[in-house]
Amino acid sequence: MGREEREKGLLAPPAWLTAGLRPAPVPVPWAAVARASLALTAPLAVGLAAGRPEYGALVSMGALSGVIGDTADAYRMRVFNIAVPQLFGALGVTLGTLVFGHGWIAVATLTLVALVSGMISSIGAVASASGLLLLLNAVVGAGLPMPDPWWKAPLLLTAGGLVVLVLTLLGWPLRRAAPERAAVAATYRTVAELYEAAGSEAYQEKRHAVTASLNQSYDLILARRTRQHGRTSSLARLLAQLNVLIPLLDAAPAADLRARLHGPLPPAVAATVRDLADAVETGRTDHREPELPPSTRPAEKAVEQALRHAVTVVHEAEPDPYDVDDRLGRPAALTVRARRAARTMLLSEPSWRYGLRLALCIGLAQALVSLVAVPRSYWVALTVTFVMKPDFGSVFSRAVLRAVGTCLGLVAAALVLAEVPRGWWDVPVMAVLAGLIPAWSAKGYAFQTAAITPVILLLSDALNQQGFDLVLPRLYDSLIGCAIALVAGYLLWPESWHSRIGDRLADAVADTAAYVDRAFGSGAAAGPGADAGRLRARRKLYRDLSAVRSEFQRALTEPPPTGTRAAAWWPLAIAVERIVDATTAARIRVAHGAPPPDPAEVAAVARELRELAEGLRASETLVPVRTELPGDEDGVLAPLRQEVRAARAIAGPELG
């Protein structure tokens, strides 16, 4: 490397800082763009026509919340994602309106709302969106003058959310199960890509894609399988078609090992899976026997058997709805889930920690706005809310990206406020800006912020009529809010990387040891019940590993030392995933004719994994470990022992 290249490398910003500024390569959701433009502009036009532009602005604000929350695929989930948070938003703006202009009462109220909002976020996705909207609308209600009487603002905001909901559900009569069918078909296509990648370095990346797609498909379908409609033929058929992918996924690690030793798999394997994907998406039932070459090895037999079973089930017109089991379990009753949610919120340490962090930051923001002689602004607390949202990613990176996105958004808002006359010109301008929100949101947090900022400014200008004078104060407010989040929400809460990631990785390693025992050890019972238990254990393990991977990726966006440690330990997370794959491959080979392993060899592998889990929990810098793991080098567990040795070698002291 030359001197100039080294100097450029030193001057270039670090990767953890610039990662969020690269737009994700995602397609434009044109249907969502059209919905957002219509939902935000129609209320403005009606308000202008009626001579009450402030009413139209409030309805558009409610529609903005609905547009941001419309992130699900299945229609029933979209109803919950849009409607439930609107109720919390109505409560939030009511509380904010009642304490508007009341000084310290407003500070105390918003601090308490922030505590509840942060704690609610630990329950789940819908609860998280509800907590966010509760706090956002409380901040807006306490910071902007709302029309009298007090009930008018929550009514108008809720009406805006209902507009988005109605527009979203227009396609429900024609596309009831279309999102679920599309999700299952997409999962089939990711499995086809997985088999194409068998034997190559791309296999692990494709397997991650399969795990994510399978999780999404199961979540979409199982969310709809309540006791009232859980046995409808369309959902039963989709669940059966999804379930038959599990044997194919079980056979994939063995196929990968076979491809590494003996060359690529026959192209007919991936082609057959893609044909099944088309059949799932179109509902085709004409039975086509796959044309597969003869199978001689255990892995090949497993793939062929799984494929032929999948062909039979996918093309079956009416599967028995009572013979379709839920591989991840049927969702618990609503009362049970409510009790679990309440217990999680009230007794969980992370729930209280996030709630207290958010409450501290909001309290400081509101106190600052109340005490310092600057124009009173809700934007400081609004910025803190977005940056501190606990399940949105790294607080540090969000603060930086929020500042960058706000600056970009304020530039666009300044041009509009300076050059476009207020009134009917707001309608076409809002149509363009509103369409950018769904188009840019998927590209990254900074891009979403840049799209939302001018929309909120234009709508708030309809309420307080400050015009161009809004721009600079909002920039200062945003920077102050980011600073509060960084100091009071990040620097004062030094959560160690080990407690957040190391423990979860240790749990995954311990679960992997239990999975090895279940597959080959004393707990490896035979029979359909045992097989179903192994399948559920493996699916849960892959879900947990996917969550660990997400935690790592979040940590990688933080500055040193957190990001540096995450990067150093990243190979160990990959090694654990490879151990699970090797265990599954060995199990499939045994099930299709390979000699079973010696129980002592199985016990040794499980013991090594448990020792690794204990070492991960004990310290961030592990003590030296042994990597010898003797056994039959020609046996079925040889690849598994090799992966375990690699994991133990990675977890050495040099990674601290």
Side-chain angles (χ1 to χ4, degrees):
M1 181 183 293
R3 179 179 177 182
E4 292 184 0
E5 293 181 354
R6 288 197 300 270
E7 291 178 352
K8 287 182 179 179
L10 293 174
L11 295 176
W16 55 264
L17 184 61
T18 60
L21 297 177
R22 291 190 292 269
V26 294
V28 176
W30 292 110
V33 168
R35 277 196 304 272
S37 295
L38 182 59
L40 268 71
T41 55
L44 277 183
V46 173
L48 288 170
R52 303 306 297 261
E54 68 278 11
Y55 288 4
L58 281 173
V59 176
S60 292
M61 279 188 177
L64 174 63
S65 302
V67 168
I68 297 174
D70 185 18
T71 57
D73 293 315
Y75 282 102
R76 290 180 184 273
M77 295 178 67
R78 294 171 81 177
V79 171
F80 284 105
N81 281 10
I82 297 173
V84 174
Q86 291 297 323
L87 300 178
F88 283 84
L91 175 62
V93 77
T94 301
L95 294 174
T97 301
L98 293 177
V99 299
F100 174 76
H102 285 74
W104 288 108
I105 296 178
V107 174
T109 300
L110 289 183
T111 302
L112 180 60
V113 170
L115 175 64
V116 175
S117 172
M119 295 180 69
I120 287 175
S121 297
S122 64
I123 297 175
V126 176
S128 176
S130 300
L132 174 64
L133 204 54
L134 171 70
L135 181 55
L136 285 179
N137 283 6
V139 168
V140 172
L144 285 175
M146 296 292 170
D148 292 325
W150 63 268
W151 49 263
K152 195 169 289 186
L155 185 64
L156 293 171
L157 286 169
T158 304
L162 291 177
V163 170
V164 178
L165 186 59
V166 170
L167 292 175
T168 298
L169 299 182
L170 288 178
W172 194 349
L174 301 176
R175 303 180 68 249
R176 285 181 182 272
E180 290 87 347
R181 276 202 312 273
V184 174
T187 303
Y188 270 80
R189 293 188 178 100
T190 60
V191 172
E193 294 174 359
L194 177 70
Y195 272 93
E196 285 179 331
S200 71
E201 295 300 322
Y203 175 83
Q204 287 296 325
E205 179 184 350
K206 297 300 181 182
R207 191 191 58 73
H208 298 149
V210 170
T211 299
S213 182
L214 192 66
N215 290 344
Q216 181 188 19
S217 297
Y218 267 122
D219 290 342
L220 283 177
I221 295 176
L222 293 180
R224 294 186 56 186
R225 285 176 60 80
T226 62
R227 295 189 184 276
Q228 287 74 25
H229 62 279
R231 299 298 181 185
T232 59
S233 60
S234 62
L235 290 179
R237 185 181 183 197
L238 281 173
L239 184 58
Q241 291 169 341
L242 191 58
N243 282 344
V244 294
L245 279 177
I246 301 299
L248 271 172
L249 293 178
D250 277 346
D256 176 55
L257 179 61
R258 177 257 179 226
R260 291 179 186 275
L261 296 176
H262 305 290
L265 298 176
V269 173
T272 301
V273 179
R274 282 202 169 86
D275 183 70
L276 292 176
D278 295 337
V280 169
E281 195 159 27
T282 60
R284 195 178 70 232
T285 58
D286 54 312
H287 194 282
R288 301 178 183 177
E289 277 297 325
E291 297 180 1
L292 301 173
S295 302
T296 57
R297 298 180 177 87
E300 295 169 355
K301 294 177 182 178
V303 173
E304 181 182 1
Q305 180 179 333
L307 265 180
R308 295 192 184 280
H309 179 51
V311 168
T312 300
V313 173
V314 166
H315 293 113
E316 189 172 2
E318 295 292 337
D320 182 1
Y322 292 95
D323 191 33
V324 178
D325 69 307
D326 296 341
R327 292 300 172 94
L328 297 184
R330 184 186 299 277
L334 182 59
T335 55
V336 175
R337 283 180 282 168
R339 287 197 299 269
R340 289 176 182 171
R343 186 166 58 248
T344 299
M345 183 181 73
L346 295 176
L347 302 180
S348 168
E349 180 186 346
S351 170
W352 279 98
R353 185 170 62 245
Y354 287 138
L356 289 173
R357 289 171 66 185
L358 189 56
L360 174 62
C361 293
I362 291 294
L364 288 175
Q366 283 299 117
L368 178 67
V369 168
S370 300
L371 293 174
V372 178
V374 295
R376 195 172 59 82
S377 170
Y378 65 96
W379 203 267
V380 177
L382 203 68
T383 299
V384 168
T385 301
F386 278 113
V387 172
M388 284 299 301
K389 194 66 176 71
D391 52 350
F392 277 4
S394 164
V395 169
F396 184 90
S397 62
R398 286 202 314 275
V400 174
L401 297 176
R402 175 77 185 181
V404 173
T406 299
C407 291
L408 295 175
L410 286 174
V411 170
L415 294 174
V416 172
L417 292 173
E419 302 296 334
V420 179
R422 302 276 66 77
W424 283 100
W425 279 104
D426 289 339
V427 175
V429 170
M430 183 60 66
V432 175
L433 294 178
L436 292 178
I437 295 175
W440 285 11
S441 291
K443 294 185 178 299
Y445 182 72
F447 298 93
Q448 183 189 51
T449 301
I452 292 175
T453 297
V455 171
I456 296 180
L457 279 178
L458 291 179
L459 294 177
S460 61
D461 183 51
L463 296 174
N464 55 22
Q465 302 294 326
Q466 290 184 358
F468 187 79
D469 295 336
L470 275 172
V471 177
L472 283 181
R474 293 302 175 263
L475 176 59
Y476 303 148
D477 293 342
S478 295
L479 297 179
I480 292 172
C482 291
I484 290 175
L486 282 175
V487 175
Y490 182 77
L491 296 178
L492 297 183
W493 301 77
E495 299 177 33
S496 68
W497 172 80
H498 176 76
S499 64
R500 188 173 51 177
I501 295 179
D503 285 347
R504 296 196 67 173
L505 184 57
D507 291 341
V509 174
D511 290 343
T512 303
Y515 177 57
V516 171
D517 271 337
R518 183 186 286 269
F520 302 107
S522 57
D531 288 337
R534 280 191 289 268
L535 288 175
R536 289 192 177 95
R538 191 178 71 85
R539 287 289 302 127
K540 180 181 182 300
L541 187 53
Y542 273 125
R543 273 183 178 264
D544 292 343
L545 288 172
S546 178
V548 170
R549 173 175 285 269
S550 297
E551 288 289 342
F552 266 98
Q553 290 172 341
R554 180 180 301 180
L556 288 171
T557 64
E558 299 207 10
T562 301
T564 304
R565 287 174 178 167
W569 284 58
W570 177 254
L572 182 58
I574 297 176
V576 174
E577 294 175 344
R578 293 178 66 90
I579 289 171
V580 178
D581 280 348
T583 304
T584 302
R587 176 68 197 179
I588 290 297
R589 292 174 64 196
V590 170
H592 289 81
D598 185 347
E601 190 178 3
V602 175
V605 170
R607 183 177 63 251
E608 287 284 324
L609 290 173
R610 291 191 178 94
E611 289 181 5
L612 176 59
E614 292 171 3
L616 285 170
R617 292 192 181 96
S619 64
E620 294 180 8
T621 304
L622 297 182
V623 297
V625 296
R626 67 176 185 274
T627 59
E628 297 84 4
L629 191 56
D632 183 3
E633 294 303 323
D634 297 322
V636 71
L637 289 191
L640 174 57
R641 291 199 321 276
Q642 180 181 351
E643 297 296 347
V644 173
R645 285 197 297 265
R648 294 301 302 261
I650 290 171
E654 70 275 12
L655 295 181

